[in-house]
Amino acid sequence: MSEMTKQNTAIDLSYGLAALSQGDRLVPWTFERRKLRPTDITMRIQFCGICHSDLHAIRGSSRFPLVPGHEIVGEVTAIGADVTKFRVGDAVAVGTIVDSCGHCSSCQRQLEQYCLEGVTTTYDGIDRQDGSITRGGYSNQYVVDAQFAYHLPAGLDPASVAPLLCAGVTTWSPLRHWDVGGKTVGIVGLGGLGHMAVKFAHALGAYVVLFSTSPDKLADAKALGADEAILSTDEAQMANQASRFDFILDTVSSRHPLNPYLRSLNLDGTLCCLGIPANLDFSPVFLTMGRRRLASSGVGGTLETQEMLDFCSQHHISADVEIISATDIEDGFERLDRGEVHYRLVIDMSTLNVPVKTIALF
C-alpha cells in the first residue's frame, strides 16, 4: 500500500438512496462524507441490511434528507494514518453505533450502547467533532472510526453477516447477559430478531421454546433450532407453560398482552422486551407473584459485537436473508410492513448504479 493511499484525506462525493422529507420514497441522492481522520477507515459498501427501524426513521421525525442503513458489510478502501486494525482490501462490517463519548463508565466497559452522553448512530446522528449529520449504508461508501468497525467473520457469506450487526447483536446481548446456557428459554416472535434469538439460544446450550401467533412459523422455528414451538393464541397450550421458564426474550414490536409470558416465568425469572412498543400491556401483580423481573436491553457495544461475530464464525451462524437490488427497495419496505420477509432483506449495493444526471445534489 502506498503512503499516498494511507494518508489521503480527500473523499469524493458519495451517492445513495435518501428520503428527502418525512414519508418520502427513496430517491438517488449525492452528498459529502467527512474527510478521512487519522483513526478512520473508508469502506466500499457491498451489502446493507434493511431494518424495520429504517422504515420508522423515514416515517418519523428524523433529520432530512435521510440516508438509512446500519447493517453494513464491505471492503476497506483507505485507512487513516493511525489505523493499525485494518488494511486496504480487508472485509469489514459496521453496525448501528459509530461513536460514543469514550470516557463514561459504560464506554470504559465497551458497553457503548449505554453511553451516558448518548451514542452517535450510523445514520441520522450528529458527528461529535464537526456536527455534521451521519448518512447511512444505503450508499456506495462509508467513513467510520476503526474502533467501531469489525473484521468480517471467516467462513460466512458477507450478505448474511449484515443483519448480525443489528438483529444479531441485539438478541445476543441479553442472551449472554442473562447467561441462558443450560436454562429453559422462551423466544416470542419469529421475525428478524426472533430467528436470530432462536439460533443463538440453541447454540448457547439453552432448551429453546418459540412462541408465535402464526401456525405457519412453528415448523420453521424447529428447523432453526427450537426444541418446541407453541401457538401463543392457544389458551390451553399457554396455560401449560406456567412457571416453566428461566428467561423469555420478547422480540415483538407491536403492543400485545405480556401477562401470559409473565405467568410462564418461574421464580426469579426474567422477561426481556426488545420490541419496545409505545406501551406495555401487563399487570404488575404477576411480577410480585414470582419475584419476576421485567427488563429490556439495548443493541450491543464493541466488545459484545466482536464476541458475537467470533461466536458466529465458530458455530457457522448467520441470518436467513433474501438479497434484493436497490431498485426494489420500496417493494421491500412494503413486504417488511406486511410481515412477509423471512427473515431479513439485504440490498446488493453493487446494483446502486445511479446516472449522474438523475442524482439530486444537496
Side-chain angles (χ1 to χ4, degrees):
M1 178 179 58
S2 70
E3 196 65 24
M4 182 178 294
T5 302
K6 186 171 182 178
Q7 301 290 344
N8 181 24
T9 58
I11 299 298
D12 294 332
L13 289 176
S14 294
Y15 63 87
L17 297 174
L20 301 184
S21 58
Q22 186 179 31
D24 278 1
R25 294 172 65 89
L26 296 183
V27 297
W29 189 60
T30 194
F31 57 97
E32 292 183 356
R33 291 283 186 196
R34 71 172 188 237
K35 291 184 176 181
L36 193 68
R37 296 168 184 160
T39 59
D40 282 346
I41 63 169
T42 302
M43 64 183 293
R44 175 176 63 86
I45 300 174
Q46 297 168 325
F47 298 100
C48 186
I50 298 176
C51 181
H52 213 285
S53 60
D54 299 341
L55 198 51
H56 287 307
I58 292 167
R59 296 172 176 174
S61 55
S62 304
R63 302 173 184 88
F64 294 95
L66 177 80
V67 180
H70 58 205
E71 301 175 349
I72 307 171
V73 169
E75 179 183 352
V76 176
T77 57
I79 64 174
D82 296 339
V83 174
T84 58
K85 181 179 177 181
F86 294 97
R87 295 177 178 271
V88 171
D90 283 353
V92 63
V94 173
T96 64
I97 299 171
V98 294
D99 203 2
S100 67
C101 78
H103 57 256
C104 73
S105 56
S106 296
C107 289
Q108 289 297 304
R109 296 171 60 192
Q110 291 182 268
L111 294 170
E112 294 92 348
Q113 72 272 39
Y114 305 120
C115 176
L116 299 182
E117 295 184 12
V119 301
T120 302
T121 51
T122 308
Y123 69 86
D124 196 31
I126 299 297
D127 186 275
R128 303 178 101 85
Q129 294 190 37
D130 63 20
S132 62
I133 299 172
T134 57
R135 313 292 185 187
Y138 290 15
S139 56
N140 66 321
Q141 64 177 357
Y142 200 84
V143 180
V144 63
D145 191 294
Q147 177 185 342
F148 291 89
Y150 309 92
H151 288 282
L152 207 67
L156 297 180
D157 174 66
S160 67
V161 169
L164 298 180
L165 279 301
C166 179
V169 73
T170 297
T171 53
W172 170 264
S173 181
L175 291 171
R176 288 291 288 149
H177 177 73
W178 274 279
D179 193 19
V180 301
K183 297 178 180 177
T184 302
V185 171
I187 307 297
V188 184
L190 194 67
L193 291 172
H195 94 287
M196 290 305 310
V198 169
K199 292 185 180 188
F200 283 143
H202 172 76
L204 287 166
Y207 185 90
V208 184
V209 180
L210 187 281
F211 294 95
S212 178
T213 59
S214 173
D216 296 337
K217 291 189 175 181
L218 302 185
D220 287 354
K222 291 186 177 181
L224 291 167
D227 297 284
E228 297 179 39
I230 304 295
L231 188 64
S232 58
T233 55
D234 186 321
E235 293 184 6
Q237 287 191 64
M238 292 301 293
N240 290 334
Q241 310 308 311
S243 302
R244 181 185 180 194
F245 292 87
D246 303 296
F247 181 77
I248 297 177
L249 191 65
D250 190 335
T251 69
V252 177
S253 59
S254 59
R255 181 170 175 170
H256 58 287
L258 298 183
N259 289 346
Y261 302 110
L262 290 172
R263 280 196 296 263
S264 299
L265 293 172
N266 59 21
L267 179 66
D268 290 324
T270 299
L271 172 61
C272 179
C273 295
L274 293 184
I276 315 298
N279 297 287
L280 295 179
D281 181 1
F282 75 101
S283 301
V285 68
F286 288 109
L287 299 176
T288 304
M289 290 170 62
R291 203 163 62 190
R292 296 157 175 151
R293 293 180 288 264
L294 182 61
S296 190
S297 178
V299 54
T302 54
L303 183 64
E304 291 174 317
T305 301
Q306 189 59 64
E307 178 189 58
M308 180 267 304
L309 290 171
D310 293 343
F311 185 86
C312 288
S313 179
Q314 294 162 9
H315 293 268
H316 307 290
I317 295 173
S318 58
D320 288 14
V321 303
E322 177 186 340
I323 301 173
I324 66 171
S325 71
T327 56
D328 293 329
I329 184 67
E330 294 297 335
D331 176 68
F333 281 159
E334 290 175 10
R335 290 176 54 202
L336 188 63
D337 230 7
R338 296 193 299 263
E340 296 176 357
V341 178
H342 298 122
Y343 286 97
R344 299 291 281 197
L345 294 176
V346 174
I347 308 168
D348 178 353
M349 298 312 300
S350 70
T351 64
L352 186 66
N353 187 15
V354 186
V356 175
K357 64 180 180 181
T358 68
I359 300 177
L361 177 61
F362 282 73

